[in-house]
Structure formats: structure tokens, C-alpha cells
Amino acid sequence: MEFFTSLRTTQVIYIIVLLGVLVLLNTNGVESRKDRISEWFEYSAISCRAHSASLEEFGGVADGITSNTHVFKAAIDHLSQLAPYGGALLFVPPGKWLTGSFNLTSHFTLYLHKDAVLLASQDESEWPVIEPLPSYGRGRDTEGGRYSSLIFGINLTDVVITGENGTIDGQGEPWWQKFRAGELNYTRPYLIEIMHSENIQISNLTLINSPSWNVHPVYSSNVVVQGITILSPVTSPNTDGINPDSCTNTRIEDCYIVSGDDCVAVKSGWDEYGIAYGMPTKQLVIRRLTCISPFSAVIALGSEMSGGIQDVRAEDITAINSESGVRIKTAIGRGGFVKDIYVRRMTMKTMKWAFWMTGNYGSHPDNNYDPNALPVIQNINYRDMVAENVTMAARLEGISGDPFSGICISNVTIGLTKKPKKLQWNCTDVEGISSTVTPKPCNLLADQGPEKISSCNFPEESLPIENVEVQTCSCNAKL
């Protein structure tokens, strides 16, 4: 009694809450877990957690048939109470865990065992409908709202979604069929979407068959995406790989992506809605990726770029059997800007175009866009690249009266297919320079000669996100 009397009131409250939570965690499902073994493992994360629990401790059933949506929600709700005490990890054991959409919490880790599969429910009632993104004004597929993503979070800090390459299966075929048939009531869900958040890690997972985009950090900062494998049928609609959207300080690295759309699509809002929201994507690092996208781009900037895109650094990229290596997509009415883009050490194999820029990507959310809102495209730098089996080197189409300027291409060798296009560089309304580029660029990219091969400089100073390090964490989980 003297001990409790000496404590402050707030300390007593914290102890009572913690004891209550620990009782809940240690009494929930005691009978079902007494024969289980513990598995100690290590993993890499930006933050380690003081506490952990298994999904089975909350009544989860891994038969691929029983819905676990309420189980995920209950587990995360309970574990959220441990945020003041070092945070918590939710362990997803081996098995097939059917679930609809669920929300994460702060100071939290979701960890998938290598033999764990999250199966996205095909029951639309398990997908809450939420408001469209304010920087888009409407859903991407239809007017109005959108289905919440499978794994969703808003206004969070310090969140890790990771594993040992456990699988998240979006079971997207019914969604693709409805999209193609024009039968969707709302925009399709994504697999992972984190909004208005900071200090986020998404790593070491395999994502397959997403209904639409796979990974979508939006209005967020300090985001690390690494070691992700994304596999989508190449004919699946809009199954973009990773889409940083109005984000600051983001790092995407060491990923393998097969996509029905862009492998990485950098975005910041759509026409008048993106202009009004005014939140650019900036300070973005993309490195060590291997991508396949036969009908789209390996790295796309836009087309929704009305809030602006600035300071993107991509390096050590391998593109295979893709429509274009780097593509800038914009249009009259977009406004905004794409500037200070740096790409180096890219290897391309079997491409339709190595480079593609277009100012005529004309999809609009509605007819209220401002025809005088012209995008600014400037300081675009490509260097140290090799390509083979390419149909056409470049298609560079600016906007009449609004040319794309400051384009620099140096030390690039493009090997052509057996039946290449007769015109290899199609350039209109662009301005820039080139040095040591084969085949020879168009006259609008004036050849500066081999002495300028070091043009198109890649920034030497690092961005803050490059200095964010993961640490080795350990966990003792019940199997």
C-alpha cells in the first residue's frame, strides 16, 4: 500500500491498464495454445516492439474459408493499448487467413510468417466504403467513394508491415471482371494504403493479385518500402506496383515487380483537386529494382501530378519486357510540375520505348479543369544507361507553347530490335542537350560531344531518408 501511495496517479493508471491488457493477452485462447511451440526469430525494422501476440490467441482460424476480419480488428485494438509501453507486434502464423479490410494502429508491427497467406475476402460487405482522396476529387474507377484497402491506416506514426516473405493475396479476378464490365459501384481497393502518416516501413512481403494498386503511401512522410515482391498478371487492369502519392522522404529499394500497369508510379493529385490540395511528392529515392511491365512503364511520373513532383533519384534499375523505361505523363489542365528528376545506371531489355514523355495524357476527373493550367516539366536527367532489343529510342512530346525544358541525356547506348522504327527519336516541344548517345538523338537535344559525357549530374548529397537505418529486432511468437 505504501508503494502505491508513493506513485503519481498517472503511473497507477498506466500500471492498471497494462496489467489489464496483459491479462487479456494471456487468458485469451489458453486452451487452444497449450500444445503450441514458441518460435524465436529475428527481423529487421525501423522500430522494435516490447510485446508480441499471435493472431490465433484472438481466435483466428487459418482454413482459408472462415473470415478473420473481426479477429484482426480485435487483436489490433487490444495491442494498441500497449503503444505507451514499447508497442506491440501481431504475429500471423502459417496458414490461409481470409480477411476483409482492417486498420492498423501506431507503434505497431504486423508480421507474416513465411507460410502465412492473407487472403482478401471477395465479399464486398467486408470492405468499408470511404471518401475519395481530396487531391483526386473522385474515385479512380468511378465517381464517388472507394473501398478501403485490405491493410489500411490513417494518422499513424511508427508502423511496420513486414515478414519473411509471407504472402498477401488480393484475389483480384472478380474485381478485374467488374472493372472491365463497368459494374463497379465504387473504386477498387488496394492491398496496402497508409494515409497522413509518418515513419512507415513496408518490407519483405510477397503481394499477388491485387484488385488494383498494390502499395499506396499517400500524404505521408518518412516511408521505407524494401524487399517487396509484387506479382500481377500483366493483363490485369491498373495493378500498379508501388505508388508514392503526395509523399515526402520516401525510399523504395530492392523490389521485384511484375505489373499490369506501371511498376512504380509517382503521383500527387489530379487536375484542379491536386492543384488545390497542393501537396507534392518530393525527396524520393528508387534503387535496385527489377521490373516487368509489357503494357506500361517501369517508372512513371504522373499522370496525376498536379500537386507537383520534385527531386526523384532513381538508380540501378533493371527493366525487362516493358513498354517504356521512364515515362513522364501529363496534360493541359494538370498544372503542377515535374522537375529535378535524376536517373542513372538503368539496364533495359526488350522495350517499346526507352524514354517517353507526353503532354497529351488527357484523362480528367471531370470537365471542370482549367485549360490554362499548364504543367512545368524541367531538369530531367538520364545518364549511364544500356538498352537492347528496343523498338524506338524515344518519344518526347511536350505541349505547344509549354515545352519540356532542361532535358539532359548522356552516356546512353540503345541497341535496336531486328525490326526497329525508322524514326528513332520523335521529338516535339522539348528542349535539352545530349552527349554520347546512340542512336543519335533529335536536333532538339543538341549533341554536346563526348567531352560533355559527365553532363546530367546525379546529386552527390544524400537525402534524409537514405540515412534511415533498420535495426535487428527479435520476437518469441507462438506457432
Side-chain angles (χ1 to χ4, degrees):
M1 182 64 68
E2 292 180 3
F3 170 75
F4 281 99
T5 302
S6 66
L7 291 175
R8 296 185 207 170
T9 302
T10 54
Q11 291 175 308
V12 173
I13 293 172
Y14 280 162
I15 290 173
I16 292 172
V17 170
L18 178 59
L19 288 174
V21 172
L22 293 176
V23 168
L24 281 171
L25 294 180
N26 287 291
T27 58
N28 194 328
V30 171
E31 292 301 318
S32 63
R33 62 179 178 163
K34 50 182 166 177
D35 292 328
R36 295 192 206 122
I37 60 172
S38 295
E39 178 177 284
W40 183 87
F41 59 89
E42 292 184 339
Y43 64 99
S44 297
I46 55 175
S47 298
C48 301
R49 308 302 178 197
H51 308 278
S52 64
S54 170
L55 190 65
E56 285 187 329
E57 296 179 58
F58 297 87
V61 179
D63 60 5
I65 300 172
T66 305
S67 174
N68 292 280
T69 307
H70 67 289
V71 178
F72 275 102
K73 291 179 177 179
I76 294 168
D77 181 61
H78 280 296
L79 295 177
S80 68
Q81 299 175 67
L82 293 171
Y85 309 102
L89 177 148
L90 178 61
F91 177 74
V92 182
K96 294 183 177 181
W97 305 88
L98 183 69
T99 180
S101 172
F102 59 88
N103 292 2
L104 302 182
T105 188
S106 294
H107 307 294
F108 175 80
T109 296
L110 178 68
Y111 185 96
L112 273 64
H113 185 274
K114 64 181 177 65
D115 296 320
V117 179
L118 291 193
L119 283 176
S121 173
Q122 295 179 332
D123 179 356
E124 290 187 19
S125 69
E126 296 218 77
W127 301 87
V129 176
I130 59 178
E131 293 293 316
L133 293 169
S135 59
Y136 285 70
R138 53 160 285 173
R140 288 291 287 110
D141 293 336
T142 66
E143 294 182 0
R146 60 202 187 99
Y147 292 103
S148 179
S149 297
L150 183 66
I151 300 174
F152 183 70
I154 186 167
N155 296 323
L156 303 180
T157 186
D158 183 21
V159 173
V160 177
I161 307 168
T162 191
E164 44 186 329
N165 291 319
T167 300
I168 302 175
D169 184 349
Q171 300 201 96
E173 181 65 37
W175 297 99
W176 306 333
Q177 291 178 0
K178 288 181 180 180
F179 172 78
R180 293 186 181 111
E183 296 174 350
L184 288 169
N185 295 317
Y186 304 101
T187 290
R188 289 166 289 163
Y190 308 143
L191 285 188
I192 301 173
E193 182 177 67
I194 306 295
M195 296 177 58
H196 298 293
S197 299
E198 62 180 2
N199 301 331
I200 306 299
Q201 174 187 332
I202 303 168
S203 65
N204 300 322
L205 298 168
T206 298
L207 311 182
I208 64 175
N209 301 321
S210 177
S212 185
W213 300 351
N214 281 266
V215 179
H216 185 223
V218 57
Y219 316 139
S220 295
S221 61
N222 301 329
V223 179
V224 175
V225 181
Q226 62 183 189
I228 296 292
T229 298
I230 295 175
L231 303 175
S232 299
V234 295
T235 56
S236 55
N238 310 118
T239 50
D240 295 34
I242 303 167
N243 289 11
D245 196 343
S246 293
C247 287
T248 299
N249 235 14
T250 303
R251 191 172 87 209
I252 301 169
E253 61 188 4
D254 302 310
C255 297
Y256 178 82
I257 303 171
V258 180
S259 175
D261 209 321
D262 302 319
C263 292
V264 175
V266 185
K267 300 179 179 292
S268 68
W270 202 1
D271 284 9
E272 68 270 23
Y273 304 103
I275 294 171
Y277 201 78
M279 189 171 185
T281 288
K282 57 184 180 179
Q283 298 178 325
L284 169 62
V285 174
I286 306 169
R287 59 194 182 191
R288 298 187 301 274
L289 302 189
T290 298
C291 297
I292 299 173
S293 179
F295 305 107
S296 204
V298 172
I299 298 175
L301 305 166
S303 71
E304 303 89 351
M305 40 62 67
S306 301
I309 296 172
Q310 184 173 15
D311 200 354
V312 177
R313 308 177 185 189
E315 57 185 333
D316 301 313
I317 310 295
T318 299
I320 303 170
N321 188 25
S322 296
E323 186 177 60
S324 56
V326 180
R327 186 177 181 189
I328 296 175
K329 302 187 287 186
T330 187
I332 292 173
R334 288 287 192 270
F337 52 83
V338 177
K339 58 185 180 181
D340 304 334
I341 309 301
Y342 309 94
V343 184
R344 68 178 176 183
R345 295 197 301 268
M346 189 170 189
T347 301
M348 295 173 271
K349 302 178 181 180
T350 309
M351 313 291 293
K352 188 172 183 180
W353 293 287
F355 307 116
W356 190 4
M357 303 178 189
T358 179
N360 190 34
Y361 201 89
S363 63
H364 299 283
D366 51 41
N367 293 322
N368 298 322
Y369 65 91
D370 180 1
N372 295 313
L374 299 179
V376 175
I377 312 299
Q378 65 182 26
N379 193 24
I380 313 297
N381 300 272
Y382 304 139
R383 63 173 297 170
D384 305 334
M385 299 183 180
V386 177
E388 62 183 48
N389 200 30
V390 175
T391 302
M392 184 174 179
R395 181 177 170 184
L396 311 179
E397 308 163 315
I399 298 172
S400 179
D402 180 35
F404 298 174
S405 63
I407 299 169
C408 183
I409 304 177
S410 72
N411 193 29
V412 174
T413 301
I414 299 173
L416 303 180
T417 183
K418 292 180 180 179
K419 295 183 179 180
K421 292 284 187 180
K422 185 175 292 186
L423 178 63
Q424 278 298 306
W425 290 79
N426 187 358
C427 306
T428 55
D429 299 299
V430 297
E431 301 170 357
I433 62 172
S434 63
S435 173
T436 317
V437 177
T438 304
K440 185 179 178 180
C442 55
N443 292 333
L444 294 178
L445 301 179
D447 187 354
Q448 305 298 298
E451 63 273 12
K452 296 291 185 178
I453 195 171
S454 60
S455 299
C456 320
N457 288 331
F458 200 93
E460 294 183 2
E461 73 284 359
S462 61
L463 292 172
I465 194 64
E466 296 182 74
N467 300 320
V468 173
E469 296 183 357
V470 296
Q471 54 188 304
T472 299
C473 305
S474 60
C475 179
N476 189 21
K478 295 287 192 299
L479 291 178

